[in-house]
Amino acid sequence: MQMKELMVRSIYCEMLGYEASFSYIHAIKLAQQGTVLEKRVGYLAVSLFLNESHELLLLLVNTVLKDLQSTNLIEVCMALTVVSQMFPKDMIPAILPLVEEKLNHPKEIIRRKAVLALYKFYLIAPNQVQHIHNKFRKALCDKDPGVMTASLHIYLQMIQENPDAYKDLTPSFVTILKQVVGGKLPMDFNYHTVPAPWLQIQLLRILALLGKNDQSYFI
C-alpha cells in the first residue's frame, strides 16, 4: 500500500516536470506483484513514464502475457490497455495470439480493448496483422456499438492505404451510418441530441475514400 502511494506521488512529480526515473523500475514491480489495485497504479505509472523504445519495457512483457491469460476481468483490461498504448514492436508476435483470442471474449469491453490493441499493432507493424483482416470484419459487425466503433479506426487507416480492397464493405458502412442517423445506438453515444456525431464523421470519411474517383457511386 505504501508503494502505491509513493508511485502516485512519483506520477505527480513527473506531471510537474521533475524527473522521477528512480521510480520506473518500482512501477514495473508494482504491476508485476501487487494486488489488483496496486497493479492498476503500476500499469498507469508505466504507461505514463515509459515509451515503446524504453529498455525497461521488456521487463513488463511476461507480466502482460500472464495477465492476458488471467480469469480476472480487471487484469485482462489493464494488460490490453497498456498494450494498446505502447508495446515493444519485436514482442508483438509473442502476444498477438492472445489478443486475437480476446476478439471472441463474452465481455464487450474486452473485445473493444482487443480491437484497439490490434489497431496499435497495425500502426507500428502492419505486416504482423495482415492475416487477421477477416477478424476485423467480424469486429465491424459486432453487436456492441463500442466494438464496432473501435474497428472503424482500423478500417479508416487501411482504406486510406488501399481503398479498392474494401469497396465490398461499402454497403456495411452505409447501413451503419443509417442506423446511427436513425438514432439506433444507445443514448450514451449522443452529443447534445445529435446521434454519435464523431462516429458519423468517421463513417463519412470512410465512404468518401471508398467513393473517390468512382463514378458508380454517383449514379
Side-chain angles (χ1 to χ4, degrees):
M1 184 64 70
Q2 186 179 11
M3 181 56 72
K4 177 175 71 70
E5 295 298 328
L6 292 173
M7 197 55 56
V8 172
R9 296 185 184 190
S10 296
I11 293 172
Y12 186 58
C13 287
E14 291 257 336
M15 289 172 60
L16 293 176
Y18 299 102
E19 186 183 2
S21 57
F22 62 88
S23 64
Y24 295 178
I25 186 66
H26 297 291
I28 290 177
K29 288 180 179 179
L30 199 61
Q32 290 173 335
Q33 302 168 357
T35 63
V36 172
L37 180 57
E38 290 171 338
K39 284 174 73 72
R40 289 184 69 176
V41 175
Y43 270 124
L44 174 62
V46 167
S47 65
L48 294 173
F49 291 158
L50 307 184
N51 54 51
E52 292 168 358
S53 60
H54 200 287
E55 57 186 8
L56 287 179
L57 196 58
L58 290 173
L59 299 176
L60 198 66
V61 173
N62 286 336
T63 303
V64 170
L65 285 169
K66 183 185 73 173
D67 287 342
L68 283 176
Q69 299 175 74
S70 173
T71 55
N72 188 312
L73 188 68
I74 297 175
E75 290 183 348
V76 177
C77 282
M78 289 188 292
L80 286 172
T81 299
V82 79
V83 164
S84 65
Q85 292 175 344
M86 57 175 185
F87 201 74
K89 182 178 178 180
D90 296 339
M91 293 291 105
I92 289 178
I95 205 172
L96 184 57
L98 289 172
V99 177
E100 286 183 54
E101 286 179 12
K102 298 300 179 281
L103 291 174
N104 299 316
H105 198 278
K107 289 291 185 179
E108 58 274 4
I109 187 172
I110 299 294
R111 298 198 304 274
R112 182 163 67 247
K113 287 182 178 291
V115 170
L116 293 174
L118 291 172
Y119 174 56
K120 177 66 173 181
F121 293 168
Y122 184 83
L123 291 177
I124 63 178
N127 293 334
Q128 308 237 19
V129 294
Q130 291 293 335
H131 65 289
I132 58 173
H133 280 198
N134 287 336
K135 294 186 178 181
F136 293 158
R137 295 189 177 221
K138 184 178 179 181
L140 181 66
C141 300
D142 195 281
K143 61 183 180 181
D144 181 74
V147 179
M148 176 271 293
T149 302
S151 72
L152 293 180
H153 295 293
I154 298 176
Y155 275 108
L156 180 59
Q157 189 72 30
M158 294 191 298
I159 290 170
Q160 284 176 336
E161 297 167 3
N162 184 14
D164 291 338
Y166 303 97
K167 284 187 179 292
D168 61 309
L169 287 174
T170 302
S172 298
F173 292 123
V174 171
T175 300
I176 293 171
L177 182 59
K178 287 181 178 179
Q179 291 176 346
V180 173
V181 174
K184 303 296 184 182
L185 298 188
M187 294 292 292
D188 294 343
F189 285 80
N190 291 0
Y191 182 75
H192 289 282
T193 71
V194 179
W198 294 280
L199 182 53
Q200 290 191 49
I201 292 171
Q202 191 92 319
L203 287 164
L204 290 172
R205 285 176 177 168
I206 289 173
L207 291 171
L209 290 168
L210 290 172
K212 187 177 181 180
N213 299 324
D214 191 335
Q215 294 298 320
S216 64
Y217 282 78
F218 300 97
I219 297 176

